Amino acid sequence: MDFVAAANFDQWRHAARILLAAEVPPCDVQWSDPAAQAPLFDSELPDAKVASSVTVPPAFMELARQVACHRDPVRWPLLYQALWRLAHGERYLLELTTDLDVHALGQMRKAVTRDVHKMKAFVRFRKVVGPDQSEQYIAWHRPDHRIVPLAAPFFARRFPAMNWSILTPDASVTWDLIRLDYGPGVPVSAAPDADVLEDLWRAYYASIFNPARVNTAQMKREMPVRHWPTLPEASLIPELLQQAAARVTTMIDTHEGFAQTAAAFLPMQRDLTALAQAAHHCTACDLHCHATQTVFGEGPSTARIVLVGEQPGDQEDLQGRPFVGTAGQLLDAALLQAGVDRQQVYVTNVVKHFKYEPRGKRRLHSKPDSREIGACLPWLEAELQAIGPATLVCLGATAAQALLGRDFRIMRQRGQVVASRWCPQTIATWHPAAILRTPDEQDRARRQAELTADLALALT
Ligand code: URA
């Protein structure tokens, strides 16, 4: 009998490779799990270059990486048993969902995935200011499983510009704007209490709480009562529930809708990187349901000129970048002629998701309505605040009317520099797509020349 201790995925993999290479069957291995004291990651283990004749499906390694985070010590023998079977003639084992081992591993993966999802939803950072005035955001969380390494990369992507730490009883992780550092677990008493963000969370939660959709049982399933002590907004729940019926009546009486805007999705940090990251999770209007992705603005935060179009088109939606399709090519040509370097300008749209009508295999552009424009506008406002451009160029009627008023007419008012609440110098001009659609060749050439002249004007 071989006695093997593994506390994390790397240790299990290292041991499993050696055992497999030595043809040790699962029944001859006694696994143990010194999990409580051990680190969640083990970068020092040499990568065992054994058992190279055995190729394991990548899907199994991915499954093993997730199951390794489950708290049940039985995961190690179960994983080794499955690995053994894969290596001994059962290559398609994972496809047998009725197999008892596969089923048990699947259940473990499900529990871990759900726990990761909960961690993403329920971690709340508290701001702590150090003696040197540096700001650190700290969160305490108690996951069911040992999932810190699985969830931490999400927070690094979500809050890249914040120094943050997440403390759990099993492990801690810190992001210093460059890398994730894992450390030992921390008791709840080590999580800071003072919280300047608490009120913000409460206000946010109260604003998104929809009394007409209250389902207490589901709420408890989604937000287990166990997490309530660390959720600032949880203290509001009893009161909000109590008021729900009365608020619904008022909403019906006053025709108050459930309209939401992107303001609810704006991140705490308002630099362009943080804004772009946050915009990818925006569901303020329904356009996100059918679009491939959010197409956020692009360009340097030091740009002196910001160009605003209507919404991404088909190509922009697929590539995730503004003005890269045919309209973008015409815009590039006009910028070049005007002597404006596209790399130096910030290019964005009023609406960040592609709206279209499906026609067979094609997706036909469809104009965003005023609700969609209103819902998306907080992103543009935040982009303009982060950049502070000298000149704002509205490309086409949708952008011009969204920013300069519904009465704005491109035909009459294009090319005029005006002051607006968005920017001291605001100018509207032809949308490149409108130029492309102009049927008469002479009109098209004239409009293109006007676009070029307006862009040149923006440069001065
Ligand atoms: N049209 C727009 O208004 N924006 C784009 O990004 C592309 C086409």
Side-chain angles (χ1 to χ4, degrees):
M1 178 70 70
D2 282 279
F3 292 90
V4 184
N8 57 40
F9 173 72
D10 288 333
Q11 288 180 3
W12 173 84
R13 183 177 55 172
H14 183 73
R17 280 178 169 172
I18 293 169
L19 292 165
L20 201 59
E23 283 289 323
V24 180
C27 58
D28 284 350
V29 189
Q30 180 85 51
W31 292 90
S32 67
D33 180 8
Q37 297 82 30
L40 292 178
F41 265 148
D42 222 337
S43 44
E44 275 137 48
L45 276 181
D47 206 14
K49 292 273 179 283
V50 287
S52 53
S53 58
V54 177
T55 47
V56 179
F60 175 74
M61 292 319 281
E62 189 47 38
L63 172 74
R65 194 178 284 281
Q66 290 175 307
V67 169
C69 297
H70 201 284
R71 207 173 279 287
D72 192 336
V74 88
R75 69 198 184 287
W76 297 143
L78 206 51
L79 281 170
Y80 186 58
Q81 166 107 341
L83 179 64
W84 175 269
R85 291 176 62 190
L86 282 165
H88 289 82
E90 295 186 64
R91 267 191 70 210
Y92 300 104
L93 174 67
L94 295 187
E95 288 163 30
L96 305 178
T97 46
T98 50
D99 181 274
L100 287 182
D101 290 345
V102 175
H103 178 73
L105 288 171
Q107 291 298 104
M108 284 185 170
R109 180 195 345 227
K110 219 177 190 171
V112 166
T113 312
R114 186 174 153 79
D115 205 26
V116 170
H117 174 71
K118 293 269 178 273
M119 181 162 169
K120 289 178 185 172
F122 297 135
V123 157
R124 299 286 182 268
F125 290 101
R126 292 151 196 266
K127 184 160 83 172
V128 179
V129 181
D132 57 350
Q133 296 307 306
S134 63
E135 288 179 357
Q136 176 84 12
Y137 292 83
I138 301 195
W140 162 262
H141 184 71
R142 193 176 48 185
D144 290 335
H145 300 287
R146 308 182 79 229
I147 54 167
V148 171
L150 289 184
F154 163 83
F155 291 97
R157 286 194 302 277
R158 184 78 179 74
F159 302 111
M162 254 164 68
N163 283 294
W164 55 256
S165 301
I166 301 176
L167 317 176
T168 82
D170 299 305
S172 60
V173 58
T174 296
W175 170 253
D176 62 1
L177 311 190
I178 297 170
R179 71 179 68 80
L180 291 166
D181 261 335
Y182 295 87
V186 184
V188 71
S189 55
D193 224 8
D195 187 7
V196 288
L197 298 181
E198 213 147 286
D199 289 344
L200 272 182
W201 276 111
R202 285 209 188 91
Y204 168 69
Y205 185 77
S207 75
I208 61 164
F209 180 86
N210 186 341
R213 302 215 182 129
V214 173
N215 177 337
T216 317
Q218 188 183 353
M219 183 192 280
K220 286 182 178 166
R221 257 198 319 277
E222 292 292 319
M223 190 193 278
V225 175
R226 169 167 57 84
H227 289 302
W228 288 20
T230 56
L231 301 179
E233 70 271 30
S235 64
L236 291 177
I237 293 174
E239 192 187 331
L240 289 171
L241 287 176
Q242 209 177 25
Q243 296 165 354
R247 275 187 62 195
V248 173
T249 313
T250 316
M251 283 168 102
I252 293 167
D253 288 350
T254 59
H255 304 289
E256 184 190 334
F258 300 103
Q260 199 183 37
T261 78
F265 296 85
L266 292 178
M268 283 174 273
Q269 300 271 344
R270 296 288 168 86
D271 57 276
L272 291 175
T273 312
L275 287 168
Q277 295 257 5
H280 282 282
H281 305 282
C282 185
T283 54
C285 75
D286 287 344
L287 295 186
H288 75 279
C289 300
H290 304 290
T292 308
Q293 57 192 309
T294 303
V295 179
F296 205 68
E298 194 178 79
S301 59
T302 50
R304 305 314 298 140
I305 304 175
V306 170
L307 306 183
V308 188
E310 179 190 270
Q311 61 165 348
D314 182 75
Q315 277 308 306
E316 287 77 16
D317 170 75
L318 296 173
Q319 295 184 38
R321 298 179 53 211
F323 282 102
V324 290
T326 44
Q329 284 159 17
L330 192 146
L331 178 64
D332 285 348
L335 284 168
L336 196 68
Q337 269 192 313
V340 181
D341 180 356
R342 175 157 175 173
Q343 301 305 318
Q344 301 300 317
V345 301
Y346 187 84
V347 182
T348 189
N349 285 296
V350 170
V351 170
K352 310 294 196 237
H353 281 115
F354 179 35
K355 182 176 179 184
Y356 61 91
E357 293 287 337
R359 280 280 184 288
K361 285 188 181 161
R362 297 181 61 212
R363 305 188 299 171
L364 299 186
H365 164 274
S366 167
K367 222 171 157 48
D369 62 31
S370 56
R371 206 200 85 64
E372 290 149 355
I373 291 171
C376 211
L377 224 42
W379 291 121
L380 179 61
E381 188 161 19
E383 286 173 293
L384 292 172
Q385 268 166 11
I387 298 167
T391 308
L392 176 62
V393 181
C394 302
L395 297 170
T398 302
Q401 288 173 357
L403 303 182
L404 299 171
R406 281 186 186 191
D407 297 333
F408 193 94
R409 292 290 171 268
I410 287 280
M411 288 280 195
R412 284 204 312 268
Q413 291 163 277
R414 61 139 280 281
Q416 299 172 8
V417 180
V418 293
S420 73
R421 83 170 175 93
W422 308 92
C423 185
Q425 293 195 111
T426 308
I427 179 171
T429 186
W430 297 111
H431 192 291
I435 298 176
L436 289 170
R437 283 197 305 269
T438 307
D440 182 81
E441 200 176 323
Q442 273 187 351
D443 286 346
R444 200 162 57 240
R446 181 176 45 78
R447 288 179 175 184
Q448 187 159 351
E450 287 170 346
L451 169 65
T452 305
D454 293 339
L455 290 171
L457 189 60
L459 191 61
T460 57

